[in-house]
Amino acid sequence: MLRAMVAATLADGVIDAGERQRLDTAVAEAGIDRDGRAWLDRELENPADIDEIADAVNAPEAAARIYAAARLAIDLDTVQERQFLKMLGEALDVPPEAAARIERELAG
């Protein structure tokens, strides 16, 4: 999920303060140690692409969680972020109605 979050935050080429805070919070909540922080720094320099993320997923429930994590990481305030999320949903085979439900849950 963290790889998807990192990739989503970098979709538009810029990590704003809110996105960085959400990443830092996710890392802290996951209990990631100093080595994990080093991994995050490396991932920020070279994020996974959509295919890499999707190839690691083998269950619809996991796909929905990864999609939701990516959506939670960003504000969807750029065309690039919206396009990334759309392409991620397609690569993960998240049905449009499930993506819409996730959007409603996160918005409300």
Side-chain angles (χ1 to χ4, degrees), residues 36-86:
R37 296 267 179 192
W39 170 87
L40 178 61
D41 291 338
R42 287 190 306 275
E43 194 71 16
L44 286 166
E45 290 176 21
N46 187 27
D49 66 28
I50 289 172
D51 290 334
E52 287 178 282
I53 295 166
D55 287 347
V57 178
N58 56 11
E61 299 81 18
R65 284 194 306 273
I66 289 169
Y67 178 87
R71 173 57 189 94
L72 187 61
I74 57 178
D75 292 321
L76 282 185
D77 57 355
T78 67
V79 171
Q80 295 93 338
E81 289 171 339
R82 288 189 293 277
Q83 184 64 24
F84 174 88
L85 200 62
K86 179 181 183 289

Side-chain angles (χ1 to χ4, degrees), residues 60 63-68 88-100 102:
R65 284 194 306 273
I66 289 169
Y67 178 87
L88 180 64
E90 290 170 355
L92 292 170
D93 293 324
V94 174
E97 58 275 3
I102 290 167

Side-chain angles (χ1 to χ4, degrees), residues 7-42:
T9 61
L10 288 168
D12 63 356
V14 177
I15 298 178
D16 65 36
E19 291 168 341
R20 182 59 196 229
Q21 178 62 38
R22 286 187 289 272
L23 277 178
D24 289 341
T25 299
V27 168
E29 287 177 356
I32 294 177
D33 60 12
R34 210 171 85 223
D35 289 337
R37 296 267 179 192
W39 170 87
L40 178 61
D41 291 338
R42 287 190 306 275

